[in-house]
Each structure stands twice: as structure tokens, then as C-alpha cells.
């Protein structure tokens, strides 16, 4: 079962990563017109969706303990989280192509929108690097847990990064983040009532 | 021209549409390829040697007609072509000219083309505010000719353009994120500039729906969003009308929106541009006024273009 779940996650991640090959090979004019922009946007979105997915798993598990798939997926948070980082890295790579190289990149860095993305990226990098078993052991469970709360900071940075680039109302950002927000609020509500019951 | 003279023509087109709705007039419309049902008058158009785009390579027809910003249909440039050709009628189409003019009138687009003496081809650069660019062979006529027909009175200082409003056919207009219909405006001096045209075709064909059929503005020294599509109304005004993008995000998009490599968008640099259809790395420096400095710079003498972006 564990293996099947892992296979499922790998399949989803690989398919998501390779999907753009399809319109590129079919030479769809709207994709070939400005391929760097297309891929930049595509990998920004997939990175974000995977990240939202990871952060949704543990509240989901707590709120719906009978839902086995969530519990199984939850054991592979690391794999999903690192995939999200990897897509963010590809996103950054295509950003360099899209904006015209490093010189342009360094000139753009002061723009709040880019700075938000970059800060989120560095947090994702820290999370990915400290996600190995060795790192968990080195840091100790408590410190590691604390450090990995940075994921919530990253989520907020990504939210603003995505919202700021939307041109007419942050419609897509709301679609992306609303489920996560609802789950987190429900979990907090659960914690709150549990606390009050026990005192 | 008095409104009465155009009525027969409109009635004619309305009848054609009525027949088509009944399924009787299909033979004619079926001959038109998908998305090519705009204003059909004025073809073939002769190239105007003054605007032959010397040294420019026109962007492939496929890219010009498959990569379109037209939020009335979708914010996804790749979806517009499909959505704009699912029953949105661009023929017949009439356009209303009014406001501070001696001669207000309403006219069918094909009638208008005949009235201004047909269309000509011009090859222009097209620079989107999103830092990409194309080269487009347009067919159209100078906006100046329409201004002459309307005879603005001396109080008219601006021209306001309005796009169609039809949420039933245009799914993007069902969203409330933008205050539809889309509006744009120019100063009279800008509108009278030789470069400003009303386009009714690309590549010698009637404008495809996704490109703003049947009639749109083209002002090549400004960012693409100024070149408003599918115009139904042109009004002459005394005060400066606000344009849609300025209303939406005033810190990002101004009234003038002249192409300017020195003034960045808050999220990206405008110093260079990606060339549509050139693959991953095709890029060129952006030129002041999109390369039309000689023709238009005098319009903005003494204006601080950093403040008036
Ligand atoms: C490493 C630094 C980053 C840079 C320089 C950067 C830059 C960009 C740019 C230029 C865009 C397109 C904006 C536009 O079309 O106007 C974009 C969009 C986006 N980025 Fe980033 N980004 C970065 C990091 C991230 C990270 C870490 C994430 C999430 C994990 C992310 C998620 C997104 C999303 C969701 C979009 C919207 C895509 C769309 O819907 O079109 N970005 N980013």
C-alpha cells in the first residue's frame, strides 16, 4: 500500500512536470508564441498547487480521520513538498529566460512582486534542504518542527506573489488558496473547542 | 452624412442575419473560414509604401490570430480564439459616432469603409505592455478620415472609444472583475496623427473575431491595450475619459501608455521585449514610442513621460 501511494504521487508529479511537452510537441501556436512565459506560468501554478496540497494534508487528516487516502498521502509530505520546490526551481529557471538573463533579473529584484517570489523560493529551499532524515536527526524533532512552520510563511508569500501578478482581481489566487484557508480555519476551530472542553 | 441614408443598408444586413438565423442564409456564411466574418469591404487592400514596415519581419498569421489578449472572452491568451468564435456575431455591425460633433451618425462598418474610400495595408510593430511584440500587416484606414466625417466642434479635445457589450456571447464579460464595456481614449491630436488607424483586417483578410472584429483601433506607438477592439461607439468629449486599464490599476497603466523602455512596469522591465514566435530566446531592445519617435514625439513635447506613463 505504501508503495502504491508512493507510485501514485510520483506518477502525478512526473505527469504534471512533463505535461507542457504535449502542447510544445503539438506546436500549439498559443504556446509556441511565447513559450518562456507559458512555462513560467505553468510551473508557478504547479509549484503552488503542490505546496497548497502538502499544507492541506495534515488538517485534512485531523478533520477527517476516516479518510484513509489523506492519511496515506500525509506520510509522503516530504516527497510532495520537495516536488513543489523542484517546480519552483524550474519556475525560476524560466523566469531567467523570460526576463532576459541574470542582468535583467538583478535589475528586477527590487520589484516587490519579484522579491516576494524570491523570499518564498528561499524558504522552500530551506525546507527542502532540511527535509532529509539526517537533517531531522541533526536538528532534533522540536527544532525541526519549529523550522518547518516556515512553510506557512512561505504560503503567505506565495499567496501575495500570485495575487499581485493577477491583472483583474485575484480570482485565481482565491480559487487556489480558499480550500487551504477553509481547512486551516476548521482545524483551528477544532483545536479551540477541544481546548475549551478540556478546561 | 444623415443617418437616414444608412438605414437601408442596415435593414439589408438585419434581414441577412434574420435569414441566417432561420438557416436559410447559410450558404454565404459557410464560405468564410472560422473566425473570418468581420467587415468584408475594401479587399484586396494595397500596401501603403509609407508604412511598409521596411526591415521588419511580419509575425506568422497563426501567432497573430492565436495569441490574443481579449478579456471579454478570457484572460488566457490561448483560449480567446476558440471562445470568440462560438456564436459571437460580428456581422452586421454598426458603429455610432457622436458627442461634440457637427455630424453625429450611425453606420454599418462596410458602409463606413466605402465612405472613407476603402482600406490600405500597413505593416506596424505591435508592442504589448506585457513585454512581448509582434509585427502585424493590418488593413485599415486613417482615423483622421472618420474625424473629418464627424466634424468635431472646437470644444472636442478627446475621443472616447467603447467596445461591444454582450455578456451572452462574451463569457469574460459575465465576470465582475472589470467594469464592462472596455473603454479607451486618445487626445484629438493623437487621433489625427498619420499613424493612427481603424483596422478592419489582418494579412489581407477581414479581422478574425479574436483580433477585434470587425473594426478596431491601432495606435502602434502605444502599448497594445490602447488599441481597443470591436468598437461600437466613438464619442468626442471635452474632458479626458478614463480608460479601462487606468481605472483598474492606475499605478500600472496610465492614460498615454506610450511605449517607453525607460519606464518600468511595477512588475517587469520594459527595456526589452520577447519576439512572438521566436522561440525561447528571441528578444530585442524596446524602442522609444515603439520605433515611431519621429512621427509622434512632437505630440508630447514638454510632457514628463515618467509621470505621464
Ligand atoms: C524565485 C523567485 C521567483 C520569481 C522571480 C518569480 C517570478 C514570477 C513571474 C515573473 C511570474 C509571472 C507574472 C506575470 O505573468 O505577470 C510569476 C507567476 C507566478 N509565480 Fe512566481 N516567481 C518566483 C517564485 C515563485 C514561487 C516560489 C512560487 C510558488 C511556489 C511561485 C508561484 C507563482 C504563481 C502561482 C504564479 C502565477 C502563474 C499564473 O497564474 O500565470 N513563484 N512568478
Amino acid at each position: 500500500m505504501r508503495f502504491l501511494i508512493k507510485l501514485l504521487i510520483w506518477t502525478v508529479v512526473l505527469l504534471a512536470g512533463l505535461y507542457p511537452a504535449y502542447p510544445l510537441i503539438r506546436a500549439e501556436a498559443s504556446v509556441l508564441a511565447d513559450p518562456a512565459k507559458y512555462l513560467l506560468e505553468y510551473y508557478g501554478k504547479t509549484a503552488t498547487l503542490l505546496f497548497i496540497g502538502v499544507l492541506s494534508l495534515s488538517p485534512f487528516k485531523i478533520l477527517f480521520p476516516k479518510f484513509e487516502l489523506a492519511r496515506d498521502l500525509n506520510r509522503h509530505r516530504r516527497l510532495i513538498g520537495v516536488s513543489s520546490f523542484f517546480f519552483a526551481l524550474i519556475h525560476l529557471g524560466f523566469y531567467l529566460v523570460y526576463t532576459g538573463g541574470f542582468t535583467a533579473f538583478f535589475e528586477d529584484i527590487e520589484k516587490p512582486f519579484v522579491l516576494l517570489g524570491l523570499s518564498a523560493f528561499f524558504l522552500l529551499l530551506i525546507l527542502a534542504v532540511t527535509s532529509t532524515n539526517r537533517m531531522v536527526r541533526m536538528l532534533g524533532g522540536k527544532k525541526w518542527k519549529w523550522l518547518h512552520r516556515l512553510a506557512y510563511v512561505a504560503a503567505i508569500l506565495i499567496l501575495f506573489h500570485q495575487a499581485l501578478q493577477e491583472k483583474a482581481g485575484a480570482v485565481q489566487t482565491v480559487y487556489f488558496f480558499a480550500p487551504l484557508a477553509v481547512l486551516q480555519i476548521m482545524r483551528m476551530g477544532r483545536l479551540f473547542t477541544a481546548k475549551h472542553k478540556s478546561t | 452624412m444623415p443617418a437616414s441614408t444608412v438605414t437601408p443598408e442596415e435593414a439589408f444586413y438585419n434581414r441577412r442575419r434574420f435569414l441566417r438565423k432561420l438557416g436559410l442564409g447559410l450558404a454565404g456564411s459557410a464560405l468564410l473560414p472560422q473566425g473570418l466574418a468581420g467587415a468584408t469591404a475594401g479587399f484586396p487592400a494595397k500596401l501603403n509604401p509609407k508604412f511598409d514596415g521596411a526591415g521588419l519581419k511580419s509575425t506568422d498569421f497563426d501567432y497573430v490570430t492565436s495569441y490574443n489578449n481579449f478579456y471579454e472572452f478570457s484572460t488566457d491568451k490561448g483560449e480567446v480564439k476558440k471562445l470568440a468564435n462560438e456564436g459571437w456575431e460580428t456581422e452586421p455591425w454598426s458603429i455610432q459616432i457622436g458627442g461634440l460633433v457637427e455630424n453625429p451618425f450611425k453606420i454599418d462598418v462596410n458602409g463606413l469603409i466605402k465612405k472613407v474610400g476603402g482600406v490600405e495595408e500597413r505593416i506596424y510593430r505591435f508592442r504589448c505592455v506585457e513585454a512581448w511584440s509582434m509585427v502585424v500587416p493590418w488593413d485599415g484606414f486613417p482615423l483622421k478620415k472618420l474625424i473629418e466625417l464627424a466634424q468635431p466642434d472646437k470644444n472636442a479635445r478627446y475621443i472616447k472609444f467603447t467596445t461591444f457589450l454582450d455578456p451572452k456571447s462574451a463569457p469574460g464579460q459575465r465576470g465582475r472583475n472589470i467594469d464592462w464595456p472596455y473603454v479607451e481614449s486618445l487626445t484629438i491630436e493623437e487621433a489625427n496623427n498619420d499613424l493612427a488607424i481603424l483596422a478592419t483586417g489582418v494579412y489581407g483578410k477581414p479581422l478574425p473575431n479574436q483580433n477585434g472584429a470587425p473594426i478596431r483601433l491601432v495606435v502602434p506607438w502605444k502599448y497594445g491595450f490602447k488599441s481597443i477592439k470591436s468598437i461600437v461607439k466613438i464619442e468626442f468629449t471635452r474632458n479626458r475619459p478614463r480608460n479601462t486599464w487606468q481605472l483598474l490599476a492606475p499605478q500600472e497603466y496610465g492614460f498615454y501608455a506610450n511605449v517607453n523602455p525607460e519606464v518600468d512596469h511595477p512588475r517587469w522591465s520594459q527595456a526589452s521585449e520577447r519576439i512572438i514566435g521566436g522561440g525561447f530566446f528571441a528578444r530585442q531592445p524596446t524602442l522609444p514610442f515603439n520605433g515611431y519617435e519621429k512621427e509622434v514625439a512632437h505630440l508630447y513635447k514638454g510632457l514628463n513621460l515618467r509621470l505621464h506613463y
Side-chain angles (χ1 to χ4, degrees):
Chain A
M1 191 60 200
R2 241 191 116 89
F3 172 75
L4 276 182
I5 293 290
K6 208 166 177 173
L7 189 70
L8 174 75
I9 297 171
W10 269 107
T11 312
V12 169
V13 167
L14 282 178
L15 282 180
L18 293 174
Y19 169 76
Y22 176 67
L24 282 172
I25 289 168
R26 286 198 354 158
E28 283 175 22
S30 63
V31 171
L32 284 189
D34 197 351
K37 188 173 167 71
Y38 171 80
L39 292 167
L40 165 81
E41 290 175 355
Y42 178 82
Y43 287 107
K45 279 185 274 202
T46 35
T48 303
L49 285 175
L50 283 174
F51 201 68
I52 289 169
V54 181
L55 289 187
S56 305
L57 281 175
S58 49
F60 202 93
K61 187 190 74 171
I62 292 169
L63 290 164
F64 309 100
K66 293 218 180 82
F67 197 77
E68 265 178 58
L69 183 65
R71 215 170 44 209
D72 294 336
L73 285 172
N74 196 54
R75 293 204 188 94
H76 298 281
R77 266 179 307 180
R78 174 164 67 195
L79 175 56
I80 305 172
V82 172
S83 312
S84 167
F85 162 73
F86 198 68
F87 285 140
L89 187 67
I90 302 177
H91 178 63
L92 176 60
F94 282 114
Y95 177 70
L96 285 170
V97 178
Y98 158 95
T99 199
F102 281 101
T103 346
F105 181 31
F106 289 124
E107 277 165 21
D108 282 349
I109 273 184
E110 58 188 15
K111 298 186 163 60
F113 157 77
V114 174
L115 214 52
L116 276 167
L118 210 58
S119 319
F121 178 77
F122 276 120
L123 292 185
L124 260 58
L125 178 68
I126 293 171
L127 295 174
V129 169
T130 59
S131 69
T132 59
N133 289 339
R134 235 186 60 175
M135 278 307 236
V136 181
R137 249 181 284 121
M138 255 175 69
L139 285 166
K142 225 177 178 166
K143 246 196 212 152
W144 187 89
K145 239 186 153 159
W146 192 89
L147 183 72
H148 275 243
R149 295 229 166 97
L150 283 179
Y152 294 105
V153 181
I156 289 165
L157 295 176
I158 294 169
L159 185 150
F160 280 104
H161 173 71
Q162 186 184 7
L164 270 183
Q165 63 85 46
E166 284 204 61
K167 301 229 172 59
V171 187
Q172 184 185 261
T173 309
V174 171
Y175 282 139
F176 274 35
F177 280 89
L180 176 60
V182 168
L183 283 171
Q184 293 292 357
I185 289 166
M186 279 170 73
R187 170 160 78 171
M188 280 191 277
R190 179 74 61 94
L191 279 176
F192 187 76
T193 44
K195 224 183 204 163
H196 277 246
K197 260 184 211 148
S198 63
T199 50
Chain B
M1 133 181 175
S4 58
T5 56
V6 301
T7 315
E9 200 157 35
E10 269 190 36
F12 167 74
Y13 281 115
N14 281 337
R15 196 183 62 213
R16 246 180 63 184
R17 170 147 79 167
F18 178 68
L19 289 175
R20 200 155 70 199
K21 285 234 163 96
L22 285 175
L24 298 172
L26 276 172
S29 57
L31 290 175
L32 289 167
Q34 192 215 26
L36 300 178
T40 47
F43 296 100
K46 272 235 291 275
L47 178 68
N48 180 336
K50 239 182 101 186
F51 305 100
D52 63 357
L56 299 177
K57 187 182 167 290
S58 290
T59 306
D60 283 356
F61 179 79
D62 247 10
Y63 293 130
V64 173
T65 57
S66 307
Y67 195 65
N68 310 98
N69 268 324
F70 205 168
Y71 280 27
E72 280 75 356
F73 294 94
S74 170
T75 53
D76 180 345
K77 287 183 266 296
E79 283 293 304
V80 169
K81 182 178 178 173
K82 182 173 148 274
L83 293 172
N85 290 288
E86 290 180 342
W88 175 44
E89 297 264 2
T90 55
E91 197 228 340
W93 188 280
S94 57
I95 174 168
Q96 190 165 3
I97 287 93
L100 304 174
V101 294
E102 304 292 328
N103 182 24
F105 59 97
K106 187 171 182 183
I107 191 169
D108 171 81
V109 178
N110 283 320
L112 177 63
I113 293 169
K114 280 180 208 130
K115 212 163 161 57
V116 296
V119 294
E120 61 185 45
E121 185 178 42
R122 296 185 179 199
I123 300 173
Y124 280 164
R125 293 190 184 84
F126 185 91
R127 171 62 156 81
C128 179
V129 74
E130 297 169 341
W132 54 259
S133 71
M134 301 183 179
V135 173
V136 185
W138 299 105
D139 301 282
F141 59 88
L143 179 54
K144 201 167 36 184
K145 288 198 181 169
L146 181 132
I147 298 173
E148 279 161 15
L149 288 178
Q151 297 171 37
D153 69 37
K154 58 181 187 317
N155 288 323
R157 291 170 51 205
Y158 295 92
I159 305 186
K160 176 182 176 185
F161 302 85
T162 305
T163 299
F164 77 99
L165 179 65
D166 180 10
K168 267 207 217 82
S169 315
Q173 290 185 336
R174 287 175 220 150
R176 251 165 274 172
N177 48 344
I178 293 175
D179 188 13
W180 307 108
Y182 193 87
V183 289
E184 256 307 337
S185 77
L186 298 174
T187 66
I188 290 267
E189 293 74 31
E190 291 175 325
N192 268 315
N193 186 276
D194 265 351
L195 285 171
I197 58 169
L198 287 172
T200 58
V202 280
Y203 268 99
K205 300 188 179 81
L207 272 182
N209 283 0
Q210 62 272 25
N211 293 80
I215 187 164
R216 66 172 294 171
L217 181 67
V218 176
V219 275
W221 71 96
K222 293 175 178 288
Y223 291 122
F225 69 85
K226 292 294 290 185
S227 293
I228 181 171
K229 292 171 161 175
S230 307
I231 300 166
V232 294
K233 196 156 60 171
I234 298 179
E235 294 162 280
F236 292 72
T237 68
R238 187 192 174 89
N239 297 320
R240 179 189 294 176
R242 299 248 255 156
N243 42 325
T244 294
W245 278 109
Q246 189 187 17
L247 286 163
L248 268 171
Q251 69 291 353
E252 296 178 25
Y253 312 101
F255 166 75
Y256 288 101
N258 293 319
V259 175
N260 188 342
E262 286 180 8
V263 178
D264 282 5
H265 183 276
R267 275 176 276 126
W268 57 83
S269 157
Q270 299 287 26
S272 64
E273 61 207 35
R274 299 183 304 285
I275 302 167
I276 293 302
F280 283 95
F281 300 104
R283 167 178 294 281
Q284 65 194 12
T286 292
L287 301 169
F289 299 105
N290 203 20
Y292 301 101
E293 193 168 11
K294 239 182 29 230
E295 291 88 342
V296 298
H298 66 273
L299 293 170
Y300 310 102
K301 238 189 229 129
L303 194 69
N304 182 341
L305 293 174
R306 240 169 224 293
L307 296 176
H308 299 274
Y309 48 83

